[in-house]
């Protein structure tokens, strides 16, 4: 079945850039997502990218997609303490109406 | 718009008790989902629905039942709770693709 892998932890200093990586196995993945979960809260959609795109930028967030290597990354520029959270990568195949497959999440810690 | 809401926020059950978790959305979304989140396991899909009156099994459906009698509501039932069902439960809804999540229900089974 489909699988999504992420590293579990990342620690960065405030003001530096953070890069969170994700790999997936389903070659038919059409939509790839990044969600953020703050302590005690639900998941909040950060951004998403279609598989026909290589890059998407949204303010401090840059998503890069390497479809050949099935690798997705999320770069957060000028990381702030408020960015400390768990970040989930997710993918869905076909039309995007199929259930998402989530990675286990990367816990980002920002050191002041 | 309240978005996706979940009731209750917290619950403690004894082994063998039953309960129903309610998910409601006011965005007229067709698709609704129930996940559980456990430490180190990410989110695992329990059941989902592609429209009113329909349900389907996800990755970990055993011990749970669901119903979608109204488009805006998706109920998750535990008939006989077990300690292994201690978890945080999230509901999500989707018009197509992007899923919007509720705040979660923390359930403890003793």
């Amino acid at each position: 079945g489909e699988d999504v892998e992420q590293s579990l932890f990342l620690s960065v200093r405030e003001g530096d850039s953070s890069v969170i990586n994700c790999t997936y196995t389903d070659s038919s993945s059409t939509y790839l997502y990044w969600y953020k979960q703050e302590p005690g809260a639900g998941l909040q959609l950060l951004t998403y990218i279609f598989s026909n795109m290589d890059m998407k930028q949204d303010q401090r967030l840059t998503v890069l997609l390497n479809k050949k290597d099935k690798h997705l990354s999320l770069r957060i520029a000028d990381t702030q303490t408020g960015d400390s959270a768990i970040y989930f990568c997710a993918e869905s195949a076909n039309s995007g109406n199929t259930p998402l497959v989530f990675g286990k999440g990367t816990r980002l810690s920002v050191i002041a | 718009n309240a978005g996706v809401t979940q009731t209750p926020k917290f619950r403690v059950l004894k082994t063998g008790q039953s309960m129903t978790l309610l998910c409601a959305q006011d965005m007229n979304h067709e698709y609704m989902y129930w996940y559980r989140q456990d430490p180190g396991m990410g989110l695992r899909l329990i059941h989902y629905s592609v429209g009113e009156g329909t349900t389907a099994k996800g990755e970990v459906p055993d011990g749970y039942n669901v119903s979608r009698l109204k488009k805006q509501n998706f109920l998750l039932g535990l008939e006989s709770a077990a300690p292994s069902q201690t978890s945080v439960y999230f509901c999500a809804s989707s018009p197509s693709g992007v899923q919007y999540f509720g705040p979660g229900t923390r359930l403890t089974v003793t």
Side-chain angles (χ1 to χ4, degrees):
Chain A
E2 304 93 343
D3 196 19
V4 177
E5 297 283 340
Q6 302 178 237
S7 53
L8 294 182
F9 301 99
L10 177 65
S11 181
V12 298
R13 293 198 177 278
E14 191 174 20
D16 287 352
S17 291
S18 308
V19 180
I20 302 171
N21 294 301
C22 169
T23 57
Y24 58 97
T25 58
D26 188 356
S27 58
S28 64
S29 294
T30 306
Y31 297 75
L32 295 128
Y33 305 85
W34 284 104
Y35 281 86
K36 176 184 181 183
Q37 184 182 32
E38 296 182 356
L43 276 71
Q44 170 196 354
L45 178 70
L46 279 181
T47 186
Y48 61 96
I49 190 168
F50 298 121
S51 60
N52 61 359
M53 299 168 65
D54 297 325
M55 186 183 88
K56 181 177 181 181
Q57 190 152 1
D58 185 0
Q59 299 182 332
R60 292 191 298 123
L61 305 179
T62 303
V63 178
L64 294 177
L65 175 61
N66 181 328
K67 200 174 176 186
K68 174 175 168 289
D69 295 338
K70 297 179 193 163
H71 182 267
L72 183 73
S73 67
L74 173 70
R75 179 177 179 270
I76 305 172
D78 187 25
T79 311
Q80 302 298 307
T81 54
D83 295 322
S84 293
I86 301 175
Y87 291 80
F88 290 93
C89 171
E91 63 89 16
S92 69
N94 304 321
S95 64
N97 294 336
T98 52
L100 300 184
V101 176
F102 284 87
K104 290 184 169 52
T106 299
R107 184 179 295 275
L108 174 64
S109 297
V110 182
I111 306 162
Chain B
N1 264 3
V4 180
T5 58
Q6 293 184 233
T7 310
K9 288 186 169 47
F10 302 94
R11 185 72 187 269
V12 178
L13 286 180
K14 293 188 189 302
T15 298
Q17 287 184 320
S18 63
M19 78 162 294
T20 301
L21 282 67
L22 170 64
C23 176
Q25 52 97 2
D26 60 1
M27 298 174 283
N28 201 35
H29 289 169
E30 287 294 333
Y31 307 91
M32 296 187 75
Y33 309 85
W34 275 108
Y35 295 89
R36 60 177 289 174
Q37 184 179 28
D38 302 293
M41 299 293 291
L43 274 83
R44 293 183 291 171
L45 182 65
I46 304 171
H47 286 280
Y48 65 102
S49 168
V50 300
E52 181 180 319
T54 74
T55 63
K57 292 181 180 180
E59 180 187 355
V60 289
D62 293 342
Y64 305 95
N65 57 74
V66 287
S67 65
R68 183 105 181 264
L69 298 179
K70 293 183 180 179
K71 187 176 185 179
Q72 64 267 35
N73 295 337
F74 194 29
L75 279 65
L76 178 72
L78 286 72
E79 290 184 348
S80 179
S84 61
Q85 294 177 304
T86 293
S87 189
V88 181
Y89 291 85
F90 288 101
C91 175
S93 72
S94 171
S96 173
V98 174
Q99 292 185 13
Y100 299 88
F101 282 79
T105 295
R106 186 174 292 275
L107 175 66
T108 302
V109 183
T110 61

